[in-house]
Amino acid sequence: GAVVSQHPSRVICKSGTSVKIECRSLDFQATTMFWYRQFPKQSLMLMATSNEGSKATYEQGVEKDKFLINHASLTLSTLTVTSAHPEDSSFYICSASKGAYNEQFFGPGTRLTVL
Amino acid sequence: AQTVTQSQPEMSVQEAETVTLSCTYDTSENNYYLFWYKQPPSRQMILVIRQEAYKQQNATENRFSVNFQKAAKSFSLKISDSQLGDTAMYFCAFMATSGTYKYIFGTGTRLKVLA
């Protein structure tokens, strides 16, 4: 159990367009989902925390209008990168938690390339 | 604020040998969880082992064990009988049991197991 999927696994888009990444918990209800960004050979950087039905909490320095997060149900969260630019190219990882005192289960990640 | 430090950017070990990865952290919290995650070349984050701070006994999962020293705020990972499949990035993570349950990650240690 505790499987998290992400879609798409890879996406290439043109500068100025928007891209949506989906994160799903397949066999459990996720009260909280997290979105991370990872640059090559670096650690995971938390972008935001989202709880079902409420607004996401963004980390300092993360533009909430650029990285739109929606957590519409207990099994689905989406990250939309709006007006993407080449500097937004990165590996984006989501994770999901069953709730308090529980570890996070990670999705396989999405590689975004903005041309 | 909590911080997690992994002082070994890279390590290597011969197959079948034992290796220890270090992790130290700083916190004023009394209740928290510590984790080791493995990130192989596929970049899927895999939970290796977890430790609850209130438990004095060190966690063990097959070939993986930890040395948890709460007073010293140290949480090292020992891998016994190293296998080629252990080659990966290893991240230490801290999660307080108060607040948002978000992870604080270390910078990672790249482990290479040599044949």
Side-chain angles (χ1 to χ4, degrees), chain A residues 2-23:
Chain A
V3 178
V4 177
S5 69
Q6 268 184 255
H7 178 79
S9 57
R10 290 175 178 264
V11 58
I12 300 172
C13 69
K14 292 183 178 180
S15 186
T17 61
S18 295
V19 174
K20 180 184 283 188
I21 302 170
E22 290 188 351
C23 177

Side-chain angles (χ1 to χ4, degrees), chain B residues 22-111:
Chain B
S22 67
C23 173
T24 57
Y25 58 95
D26 189 27
T27 185
S28 58
E29 301 276 346
N30 192 46
N31 297 315
Y32 49 88
Y33 289 80
L34 294 162
F35 307 90
W36 278 99
Y37 279 87
K38 168 185 177 180
Q39 188 180 42
S42 68
R43 301 189 79 169
Q44 171 72 60
M45 294 286 283
I46 301 166
L47 177 65
V48 176
I49 202 164
R50 62 180 272 172
Q51 175 82 42
E52 292 88 344
Y54 64 87
K55 289 187 177 179
Q56 292 185 334
Q57 188 171 7
N58 289 324
T60 300
E61 286 288 342
N62 300 314
R63 297 184 295 108
F64 299 88
S65 61
V66 298
N67 183 2
F68 174 48
Q69 301 289 328
K70 190 173 183 180
K73 296 180 181 171
S74 171
F75 181 60
S76 60
L77 174 70
K78 185 171 81 171
I79 305 174
S80 303
D81 185 25
S82 296
Q83 301 175 359
L84 296 178
D86 295 333
T87 293
M89 279 289 288
Y90 286 82
F91 292 101
C92 178
F94 170 98
M95 182 185 81
T97 56
S98 61
T100 61
Y101 305 101
K102 62 183 182 183
Y103 282 2
I104 307 298
F105 279 103
T107 51
T109 295
R110 184 173 300 278
L111 176 67

Side-chain angles (χ1 to χ4, degrees), chain A residues 77-95:
Chain A
S77 177
T78 60
L79 167 68
T80 302
V81 183
T82 62
S83 186
H85 288 93
E87 57 266 30
D88 298 324
S89 298
S90 190
F91 193 69
Y92 292 86
I93 303 174
C94 75
S95 70

Side-chain angles (χ1 to χ4, degrees), chain A residues 4-5 8-9 13-14 24 33 45 49 55 67 72 77 82 87 97 102-104 107:
Chain A
V4 177
S5 69
S9 57
C13 69
K14 292 183 178 180
R24 293 182 184 272
M33 287 185 167
M45 182 191 79
T49 303
K55 289 184 178 181
F67 299 99
S77 177
T82 62
E87 57 266 30
S97 171
N102 280 277
E103 68 259 35
Q104 296 177 25

Side-chain angles (χ1 to χ4, degrees), chain A residues 31-49:
Chain A
T31 56
T32 306
M33 287 185 167
F34 303 84
W35 286 95
Y36 296 87
R37 185 173 180 176
Q38 186 179 31
F39 291 105
K41 298 186 178 182
Q42 292 190 22
S43 187
L44 282 70
M45 182 191 79
L46 180 65
M47 299 175 66
T49 303

